[in-house]
Amino acid sequence: MEVWRDVVALLPAAEAEFPLVFGEVVDPSVLIMLEVIRKEFYSSLKEFCSSSFIEKAKVIIDYSWEKLNTGTWRDVDKEWRRVYSYGCLFKAVGTCQGETLQDKLQEAIKTCDMGLLMGASIMDNVLQRLIAVLKNKVENPGTVKDSEPPCPKKPKQECIPRPIIHPTLSIPRVRCPSMENFRLEFLEPKVPVILEGIIDHWPAFREHSWSIEYLRAVAGCRTVPVELGSRYTDAEWSQKLLTVNEFIDRYIIGQVPELKEDIRIPDYCCLGEGDEDHITINAWFGPGGTISPLHQDPEQNFLAQVVGRKYIRLYSTEETENLYPHQSELLHNTSQVDVENPDVVQFPNFIKASYQECVLEPGEVLFIPRQHWHYVRSLELSFSVSFWWS
C-alpha cells in the first residue's frame, strides 16, 4: 500500500480540486466519461475497483488515440493530446492500486511515458512526477526477454576513421565569442560556426560520468522512441517504442564509452525571440554509422557533442535547387541525394553545390542557422544534445 499512498498524494485531495477543463473541440461525451472516472476515483478510494477504473481509462485512451492519428500530427488539436494524457494518468493510477508487483510498476511507467510522448502536459506535469515516484519502487530493472532475440546486426566496435576535412571547406571555429560578436558575425548573417569552450562548465564534463550501468539505473525502465535503420529515408527504416534497457540490449552491444549527465542551455539562446519554454531540447544516443540524411529545420540549432564524434556537412539555403529536395509534403525538407555517394546521373547539379564540413568533437557546439541544410554521420557511438530555438 506504500506505492498507492504515494500515488494518491500526487493528486488533488478532493474531486472539486481535480481540473477537467477542455475547449469545444472535445466531444461532450468524452468530458462526461472523464468526469465519471474522476468521480469513481474519489468516491472509492477505500474500496477501489481498479479493473473497472482501468477499462474506463482505456476507453478514453483508445478514443483520443484515434484523434491523434487522424491527419498530420501538426494538425492535431492540443486539447485531444490533453485528453490522451488524462486517460494515461487514470490508467497508470488504476494500475498502481492494490498489490503493486514489479510488472504493474513497469506497466504504469510505460503508460505515463506514452502520455508524455503523445499527450500534452497536464496538472503541473503530473505524469513526470508520477514516474519519479514509481521509479523509486522499481527493483532490478529487467532486460530483454528471452522470447525477444537481439538484433542480428551488431554495431561495429571499431572506431570509424576520421574524414579528412579540406581547409577551404572547414567550418570556422571560435572560442567563447561575446554575445554581440556572435549576433553580428554569425546569427544575423546566418553563418555556421563551431563554438569552443562554451559548454566546458557543464556537469556533463565535470561531475557525473554516465556509464551504461548508470544509464540503466536512471532510465532503464523508461519507454522511448527508437529509430531503427541507418537513415530515415531508407525503405527498411522504422520507429519502435522500447525501454532504454531493451534498446541497449538489442542494439548497443559491447563496450560503451562513458556518457555524461548534466547539460545547460547555451547562453546564446537568449538572443532568440522566445524564453526557455520555447527551446526544444533533444538528446541523441546511438551507434557509429548512424546517418541523418541531408535536411533542413525551421529553427536555429545548437548541436552540442558530449561523447563521440560526428562528421557534419552544411549547405546554405541558396543551394536548395542543387540539393533535389523530395517532392512529397512529408519529406520536402529532406534531400534525395546520398551525400557521400551521390548519383551524379540522376542528380547532376549536386556536385555544383558548395558546402562546409567538420568533425564535431566532444565539448564543441555547432551553430546551424535556420533552414541550413545539414548532413550528419556518427563516427562512433555518441551522445549529442540539440537546442532548437527561434
Side-chain angles (χ1 to χ4, degrees), residues 335-352:
S335 170
Q336 302 177 62
V337 184
D338 182 346
V339 168
E340 295 187 83
N341 187 30
D343 184 338
V344 295
V345 175
Q346 186 177 4
F347 309 113
N349 291 334
F350 179 73
I351 58 176
K352 301 177 183 179

Side-chain angles (χ1 to χ4, degrees), residues 263 279-285 301-304 383-388:
I263 63 170
I279 298 173
T280 301
I281 303 174
N282 285 306
W284 308 99
F285 171 48
N301 183 9
F302 283 123
L303 180 62
F383 178 72
S384 311
V385 182
S386 61
F387 301 86
W388 292 337

Side-chain angles (χ1 to χ4, degrees), residues 265-266 269-270 274-281 386-390:
I265 295 175
C269 289
C270 73
D275 54 26
E276 283 194 10
D277 292 338
H278 293 89
I279 298 173
T280 301
I281 303 174
S386 61
F387 301 86
W388 292 337
W389 54 291
S390 298

Side-chain angles (χ1 to χ4, degrees), residues 73-243:
W73 177 252
R74 66 174 176 269
D75 294 328
V76 174
D77 196 289
K78 186 178 180 180
E79 292 293 270
W80 282 114
R81 295 175 57 198
R82 292 180 63 239
V83 170
Y84 183 79
S85 291
Y86 273 102
C88 291
L89 172 63
F90 286 135
K91 180 185 174 185
V93 168
T95 303
C96 294
Q97 199 273 339
E99 185 181 4
T100 312
L101 303 176
Q102 289 296 305
D103 285 348
K104 292 177 67 176
L105 287 175
Q106 296 281 2
E107 177 62 27
I109 291 173
K110 180 178 180 180
T111 300
C112 291
D113 275 325
M114 289 301 299
L116 292 172
L117 288 169
M118 300 296 294
S121 179
I122 57 172
M123 298 172 59
D124 192 24
N125 208 10
V126 66
L127 291 176
Q128 194 68 267
R129 291 186 288 119
L130 179 53
I131 286 176
V133 168
L134 298 179
K135 277 179 57 183
N136 290 331
K137 314 297 182 181
V138 174
E139 301 172 358
N140 299 320
T143 57
V144 177
K145 299 177 182 179
D146 293 338
S147 59
E148 298 174 346
C151 174
K153 292 185 177 180
K154 297 185 179 181
K156 296 180 179 179
Q157 298 302 306
E158 69 272 14
C159 178
I160 298 173
R162 177 190 178 104
I164 298 175
I165 306 299
H166 196 282
T168 60
L169 304 177
S170 180
I171 297 172
R173 283 176 158 81
V174 176
R175 186 167 186 82
C176 299
S178 68
M179 289 287 182
E180 185 65 10
N181 285 345
F182 175 77
R183 183 178 66 83
L184 293 175
E185 297 179 22
F186 305 105
L187 179 60
E188 291 183 349
K190 299 180 180 180
V191 174
V193 64
I194 295 173
L195 302 175
E196 299 178 336
I198 72 167
I199 60 174
D200 290 351
H201 65 288
W202 280 10
F205 294 105
R206 290 179 173 270
E207 299 173 12
H208 306 293
S209 62
W210 198 357
S211 65
I212 197 65
E213 291 76 16
Y214 180 77
L215 188 58
R216 286 190 190 277
V218 299
C221 60
R222 300 296 300 275
T223 298
V224 296
V226 176
E227 297 181 357
L228 307 179
S230 61
R231 64 190 78 195
Y232 63 76
T233 51
D234 290 349
E236 67 273 14
W237 182 89
S238 65
Q239 284 185 310
K240 190 172 184 178
L241 292 174
L242 298 172
T243 65

